């Protein structure tokens, strides 16, 4: 009886294991996360500070025109003086408040007054931080593709980005925040 019970329990354990593996695969195929569309770039030169310019460079290099949703550059925030860190934190609060209002989650009359002027001031201050060289790329950036198929294609066909695409750009062109 004990041997029969042991065999039944082993078979049930195997069935449970295979069911869990099937469920995990099914769950992963039906629900998508940011990881399904995003690639990380490392060793990005520190003079690369324009997300728009980097997106254009990557679209050209990867031959993925209009297939990249956006690029997010990680900045060396921790190396800034305390005063600049506080200003960037304030900028982030203003952007959060602006997005809250823009998405209709909060009526405009409940937002703190002068939000549009603060956003414009923040834009000028951020541009100054980048152009002065105080705020630089930390060496990492994230590329978000519009479709998962395009990200997978890049993963399968590439093992990196030619560093020369960054060297062809001048620091002034990479710092071009307005365009």
């Amino acid at each position: 009886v004990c041997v029969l019970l042991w065999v039944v329990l082993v078979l049930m354990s195997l069935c449970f294991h295979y069911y869990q593996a099937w469920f995990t695969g099914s769950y992963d195929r039906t629900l998508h996360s940011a990881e399904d569309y995003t690639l990380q770039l490392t060793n990005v030169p520190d003079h690369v500070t324009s997300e728009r310019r980097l997106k254009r460079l990557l679209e050209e290099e990867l031959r993925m025109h209009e297939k990249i949703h956006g690029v997010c550059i990680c900045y060396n925030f921790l190396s800034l003086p305390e005063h600049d860190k506080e200003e960037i934190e304030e900028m982030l609060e203003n952007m959060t408040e602006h997005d809250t209002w823009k998405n209709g989650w909060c009526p405009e009359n409940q937002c703190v007054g002068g939000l549009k002027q603060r956003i414009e001031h923040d834009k000028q201050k951020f541009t100054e931080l980048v152009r002065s060289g105080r705020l630089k790329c930390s060496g990492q950036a994230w590329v978000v593709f519009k479709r998962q198929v395009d990200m997978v294609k890049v993963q399968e066909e590439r093992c990196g980005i030619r560093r020369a695409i960054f060297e062809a750009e001048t620091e002034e062109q990479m710092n071009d925040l307005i365009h």
Side-chain angles (χ1 to χ4, degrees):
V1 175
C2 287
V3 173
L4 180 61
L5 184 59
W6 180 81
V7 170
V8 170
L9 288 175
V10 167
L11 289 175
M12 287 178 64
S13 294
L14 287 172
C15 288
F16 181 73
H17 168 73
Y18 287 114
Y19 172 74
Q20 288 289 33
W22 171 83
F23 179 78
T24 302
S26 173
Y27 182 83
D28 200 32
R29 283 188 299 276
T30 57
L31 297 174
H32 299 286
S33 67
E35 294 171 348
D36 296 326
Y37 297 89
T38 309
L39 289 178
Q40 179 185 20
L41 296 178
T42 56
N43 299 318
V44 178
D46 66 357
H47 69 271
V48 177
T49 54
S50 172
E51 292 174 345
R52 290 181 187 141
R53 172 79 71 195
L54 180 57
K55 179 182 176 212
R56 275 188 253 131
L57 286 171
L58 292 172
E59 285 177 336
E60 290 173 18
E61 174 70 12
L62 300 173
R63 294 180 188 90
M64 293 264 170
H65 183 68
E66 297 293 322
K67 294 184 179 183
I68 295 176
H69 177 73
V71 174
C72 181
I73 295 173
C74 299
Y75 294 98
N76 64 346
F77 178 73
L78 295 176
S79 67
L80 292 174
E82 200 58 42
H83 174 71
D84 288 337
K85 286 181 189 177
E86 290 172 8
E87 284 190 338
I88 289 180
E89 286 178 20
E90 189 174 314
M91 288 179 200
L92 293 172
E93 289 176 16
N94 290 336
M95 286 178 10
T96 302
E97 186 176 342
H98 181 266
D99 286 347
T100 301
W101 166 70
K102 200 77 166 162
N103 288 316
W105 300 328
C106 174
E108 185 173 4
N109 62 354
Q110 289 183 358
C111 292
V112 178
L115 179 61
K116 292 177 184 173
Q117 292 83 6
R118 289 194 324 256
I119 293 291
E120 188 58 39
H121 176 264
D122 291 348
K123 179 181 176 183
Q124 293 170 358
K125 180 63 181 173
F126 186 80
T127 302
E128 176 197 327
L129 282 170
V130 171
R131 290 202 172 145
S132 70
R134 292 190 317 238
L135 188 63
K136 296 182 177 186
C137 177
S138 69
Q140 292 185 347
W142 298 89
V143 183
V144 181
F145 291 85
K146 292 181 180 178
R147 298 180 336 160
Q148 186 179 15
V149 168
D150 297 324
M151 189 220 40
V152 170
K153 180 180 178 186
V154 170
Q155 277 184 313
E156 290 175 349
E157 294 178 358
R158 306 288 296 244
C159 62
I161 304 293
R162 291 181 308 119
R163 194 162 181 83
I165 70 166
F166 301 119
E167 294 166 1
E169 298 291 320
T170 65
E171 285 195 35
E172 184 177 313
Q173 288 173 319
M174 291 306 291
N175 288 336
D176 184 14
L177 295 170
I178 307 305
H179 290 87

